[in-house]
Amino acid sequence: MGQDVLCFFDKKPQALPLYETFEQKVLSEVDGVKVKVQKTQIAFSNRHNFVFVSFLPVRKAKERPEVYIVVTFGLGYCAESPRIDGAVEPYPGRWTHHVLISGTGEIDDELMGWVKEAAAFSNGKR
């Protein structure tokens, strides 16, 4: 884990274990992933960015847990699940989904299935 990741979690260090679990799963389940730490998010990419980790306020403050990360991914369709806090279609045929994660158990097969789909979808873009 690089110093840039530690700096990203400087104000919310309790969320670092969530990120570490997520990063490890992405790197072990998706080939050729690069990680880039930015000011407001951490981007995972193959040919293009396909999943992001941030602290995006996808729920009202009183509905957000104290410790969380938000996983954002893009798919070619609107995935339906009670776990998805929001989905928008910024471009025709490209849907951006946000999932709030507050425990490592939520980084499960369903979430990783979406992440793998997002990686394949991203890889297929021109």
Side-chain angles (χ1 to χ4, degrees):
M1 180 117 0
Q3 187 63 34
D4 51 351
V5 171
L6 296 174
C7 287
F8 184 85
F9 286 93
D10 190 40
K11 292 189 170 104
K12 298 190 181 201
Q14 319 89 308
L16 185 58
L18 294 172
Y19 172 78
E20 288 174 320
T21 300
F22 181 75
E23 180 190 65
Q24 183 273 323
K25 284 197 108 163
V26 171
L27 295 178
S28 68
E29 294 185 25
V30 181
D31 292 331
V33 175
K34 294 181 180 118
V35 180
K36 182 178 181 185
V37 180
Q38 301 167 321
K39 185 175 180 175
T40 60
Q41 64 189 7
I42 299 175
F44 293 75
S45 63
N46 43 32
R47 285 183 55 222
H48 303 283
N49 294 337
F50 64 89
V51 70
F52 305 86
V53 170
S54 69
F55 297 111
L56 195 66
V58 295
R59 295 181 190 165
K60 294 178 182 175
K62 64 182 179 181
E63 296 172 6
R64 285 192 306 262
E66 190 174 320
V67 177
Y68 72 94
I69 58 173
V70 173
V71 174
T72 300
F73 54 90
L75 298 174
Y77 65 95
C78 183
E80 297 289 330
S81 170
R83 296 179 64 184
I84 296 174
D85 286 282
V88 295
E89 188 179 22
Y91 304 102
R94 291 185 187 176
W95 286 85
T96 301
H97 301 77
H98 305 289
V99 177
L100 187 144
I101 304 295
S102 60
T104 57
E106 296 172 43
I107 304 168
D108 58 7
D109 291 343
E110 181 178 43
L111 179 67
M112 293 312 297
W114 289 324
V115 169
K116 289 182 230 179
E117 267 190 87
F121 179 65
S122 168
N123 228 5
K125 288 183 195 172
R126 295 178 189 198

